[in-house]
Amino acid sequence: MEKLKNKLLQHHRRSRQVTPTPNNFRQWAVAFIVCNFNVDVGPEIEIVYPPNTQFSTSDLSAICFNSFPERQDTETAADLTFHFTIPNNSPDISLDSPCSPHGSATEFYGNAVFRQEYDHSMKRSFNQRTLVMITTHEFPAFFIHLLKEMTSSGVISDPTALETAHNQMLTWAPPSLGKHELPFMGSMLTLEITPHPAFPLQGLVSTRPTISATGRAPSIYAYEPLGTWENIMQFMPCLSDLDVVYEKLLLCESIIVLAKSPQLCSEGVSALVDLIRPIPYAGEVKPYMTMQSEFRSIGIDGGTPRPFIIGITNPFLLKRVLGASETSNRSKPHVLYLHASEDPVPIKRHRSMHHRNQSFDMPGGIDSQTVSKRFVKSDRTFVQTVDTLLRSSPANHELSSLIRRHYAELTAQYLAPVNRYLATSASTNFTSPGGDYRYANFSEADFLYSLSKHGSSMKFRGQSPMQRHKARDNLYESFCRSPNFYSWLDMKLGLEKEASAGLLSATPVQASPAQSTGSL
């Protein structure tokens, strides 16, 4: 560890002596970094491009440790792609994004391609490197697509490829709402940026690398989920867990995704956040964390307690997070175990389900997963269709669109009574001292009265009408008291304000205006 810190400090001092480059590239990304796993000192920085990037020593160390799998699988032959988030502790790197979306001034988003190659000259017989793109914009599907293009030649640490990619990105106009035509590595990419990360995508995901009838690759959506459900569903413990995690996401409860690879856990986190669009998950989202990660942001090691969704691969880290939750008397996070099994994915959770998780080599002291009370009634037709598709062809491409469309419609049904109440009973004629619009007279009691009067098209659990009405009221009451309600309301009001001011129109550099895709 001490050797790594000294090398990082030397790199940091050298980088301050280089003349700064223009900020065109910085509007999209911060830097490309190649990390190499040195058997003697651990992960270390091999290349930073542009070389003058003023990363702090602590941030370089965090990037190193988050860029490699914690579990070494000697059978890993294909590249692993994943993303992670770390705090921006580099005071010399400021946010440079002149128009919306402005990106984050406090977070770095790491997008990584990890490659493991056999090398008999190495102590562990493997050469392990990761190419990372550090950005201030959370566009993981787009940035990982760029990294795949850069590493398609078979070399993951090619300085020429880094320089070429950097120089091409210098010519790009700043990211802004709408459609972008971007030249990159000999091809033309189409990127679409919606007005908000939680903007609905109507169940659509780009089907790269398929070429359309026009001879061009389809659009990449900036905020689309990184993974696909046809892959993730093969690792689910049971189909009913989809409804379990959906309800927990609605209410901004904490979820831990445990998988054996950083790719699967980061794809799982990305897909889960997408399930409740257009409701923005108001907790912390960390697609991949290691034992060396910073945990204050999720309320551990002195941080302020907050809901979270995190992806991890280390069972001992799971024990640490669960233990911290119990110590602070917080509700226990739900653990979603993503694991491979030779058996078909069951529809319901069985009592012996915890035995299916033994493949993770779980340390002692971790209780088996308990499922909390649910409110929403499962759609049997939907579950049976998913089960049929999984059994007929696990990689069926209909699964992603089917699952995303189902939960998008379910969320629309869920929000309909709230939208109805806000449209008929609340006033927006109020501005807070900070200038943000608020529904000044929103009343939870009045809303629940409106809900009992007009109802909801959602189906709720219960043997009798009274039980179903109680389940309905409990779910909506919990939602109105959760951070998700305010994150959704802020987004709704912000977009309404921007639309009325004409700020959602495409700028002249756009190929076409942004398209509204669904009700908020």
Side-chain angles (χ1 to χ4, degrees):
M1 176 67 74
E2 193 62 33
K3 291 182 179 179
L4 173 61
K5 289 182 178 178
N6 291 335
K7 292 194 69 172
L8 293 176
L9 185 59
Q10 292 173 9
H11 168 83
H12 183 60
R13 289 171 177 170
R14 287 197 303 268
S15 68
R16 289 179 174 270
Q17 303 173 4
V18 185
T19 304
T21 58
N23 285 329
N24 305 60
F25 174 79
R26 181 67 60 82
Q27 293 165 0
W28 286 90
V30 178
F32 296 107
I33 299 179
V34 177
C35 299
N36 175 46
F37 192 89
N38 187 314
V39 176
D40 296 321
V41 300
E44 61 180 357
I45 299 292
E46 187 174 285
I47 301 174
V48 175
Y49 199 94
N52 62 294
T53 309
Q54 305 295 316
F55 284 113
S56 67
T57 303
S58 62
D59 280 349
L60 287 173
S61 178
I63 292 168
C64 275
F65 282 108
N66 281 276
S67 297
F68 290 93
E70 281 197 296
R71 303 169 66 106
Q72 183 185 14
D73 185 354
T74 57
E75 301 299 321
T76 301
D79 290 350
L80 294 178
T81 58
F82 54 96
H83 63 309
F84 58 86
T85 303
I86 62 172
N88 179 353
N89 293 314
S90 298
D92 294 328
I93 299 179
S94 58
L95 181 64
D96 187 1
S97 187
C99 49
S100 181
H102 298 291
S104 174
T106 60
E107 301 288 333
F108 283 147
Y109 302 105
N111 309 274
V113 175
F114 165 80
R115 182 172 295 170
Q116 176 175 267
E117 298 174 312
Y118 178 74
D119 186 347
H120 65 86
S121 64
M122 304 293 291
K123 287 184 178 180
R124 295 201 300 180
S125 300
F126 288 98
N127 186 353
Q128 296 177 323
R129 282 188 174 87
T130 303
L131 173 59
V132 187
M133 179 188 285
I134 301 297
T135 72
T136 54
H137 294 285
E138 195 171 13
F139 305 159
F142 175 63
F143 289 129
I144 285 181
H145 180 78
L146 300 186
L147 294 179
K148 287 181 177 180
E149 290 285 328
M150 294 170 62
T151 57
S152 61
S153 64
V155 180
I156 202 166
S157 57
D158 183 2
T160 302
L162 302 184
E163 182 180 8
T164 301
H166 171 264
N167 291 340
Q168 288 193 313
M169 293 176 69
L170 280 174
T171 67
W172 293 359
S176 56
L177 306 184
K179 182 179 291 186
H180 294 257
E181 303 289 344
L182 305 171
F184 189 76
M185 307 296 283
S187 61
M188 184 67 72
L189 304 178
T190 302
L191 173 68
E192 297 195 35
I193 304 177
T194 55
H196 192 278
F199 218 59
L201 301 174
Q202 292 185 327
L204 301 177
V205 181
S206 58
T207 54
R208 302 176 304 275
T210 303
I211 303 299
S212 65
T214 61
R216 306 184 66 175
S219 293
I220 302 172
Y221 299 94
Y223 302 117
E224 70 177 73
L226 186 59
T228 61
W229 281 107
E230 53 259 27
N231 177 53
I232 297 171
M233 288 304 300
Q234 299 177 58
F235 298 90
M236 288 288 288
C238 60
L239 301 187
S240 63
D241 264 24
L242 275 175
D243 286 331
V244 173
V245 295
Y246 174 76
E247 287 191 34
K248 291 185 175 295
L249 289 165
L250 277 182
L251 302 180
C252 199
E253 297 182 15
S254 296
I255 297 175
I256 301 173
V257 178
L258 178 66
K260 282 196 170 183
S261 77
Q263 176 168 321
L264 183 56
C265 69
S266 72
E267 287 182 354
V269 170
S270 178
L272 288 180
V273 173
D274 173 71
L275 275 188
I276 59 172
R277 292 179 188 266
I279 299 174
Y281 182 79
E284 289 290 325
V285 180
K286 302 290 185 181
Y288 175 54
M289 301 188 79
T290 68
M291 289 293 283
Q292 289 78 24
S293 295
E294 190 271 326
F295 289 91
R296 291 176 58 85
S297 59
I298 64 172
I300 298 176
D301 296 340
T304 303
R306 292 196 63 192
F308 57 80
I309 303 177
I310 63 174
I312 61 177
T313 60
N314 191 331
F316 291 93
L317 180 54
L318 172 64
K319 183 176 182 179
R320 176 183 175 187
V321 175
L322 292 178
S325 299
E326 294 177 359
T327 302
S328 59
N329 294 320
R330 287 182 287 165
S331 58
K332 183 179 179 181
H334 178 80
V335 183
L336 178 62
Y337 297 90
L338 297 181
H339 55 86
S341 175
E342 296 180 356
D343 301 324
V345 180
I347 292 179
K348 294 183 179 181
R349 180 179 291 271
H350 302 298
R351 292 182 178 179
S352 60
M353 185 64 71
H354 66 278
H355 293 301
R356 295 167 61 88
N357 303 323
Q358 292 178 349
S359 59
F360 284 106
D361 301 322
M362 305 296 287
I366 296 183
D367 296 332
S368 60
Q369 182 64 51
T370 57
V371 179
S372 58
K373 183 178 180 180
R374 288 171 49 198
F375 302 103
V376 181
K377 184 178 181 180
S378 296
D379 186 326
R380 290 185 179 180
T381 301
F382 165 72
V383 173
Q384 289 172 355
T385 303
V386 172
D387 182 52
T388 301
L389 290 176
L390 276 175
R391 292 176 182 273
S392 62
S393 175
N396 194 306
H397 295 297
E398 297 178 28
L399 271 174
S400 278
S401 58
L402 172 69
I403 292 173
R404 299 183 75 234
R405 191 179 303 113
H406 170 78
Y407 286 103
E409 293 174 354
L410 197 61
T411 305
Q413 292 175 5
Y414 181 69
L415 289 175
V418 190
N419 278 315
R420 179 178 56 230
Y421 170 78
L422 294 177
T424 59
S425 306
S427 171
T428 58
N429 296 324
F430 172 80
T431 306
S432 67
D436 294 329
Y437 284 88
R438 294 290 186 271
Y439 282 103
N441 62 336
F442 177 83
S443 166
E444 180 184 306
D446 290 345
F447 164 67
L448 292 176
Y449 174 78
S450 171
L451 180 66
S452 65
K453 181 179 179 180
H454 299 287
S456 171
S457 57
M458 237 183 173
K459 305 298 182 183
F460 293 91
R461 295 165 63 93
Q463 299 297 322
S464 66
M466 182 174 293
Q467 290 177 334
R468 291 191 289 271
H469 290 165
K470 184 177 180 180
R472 177 198 65 193
D473 292 349
N474 286 341
L475 182 62
Y476 278 99
E477 184 180 77
S478 298
F479 175 67
C480 290
R481 298 177 182 180
S482 76
N484 274 5
F485 173 72
Y486 296 99
S487 69
W488 170 75
L489 195 58
D490 282 346
M491 180 192 72
K492 177 181 175 68
L493 292 170
L495 292 178
E496 288 175 356
K497 183 179 178 181
E498 292 175 8
S500 63
L503 299 179
L504 298 186
S505 301
T507 61
V509 298
Q510 251 58 61
S512 63
Q515 301 294 320
S516 296
T517 56
S519 171
L520 298 180

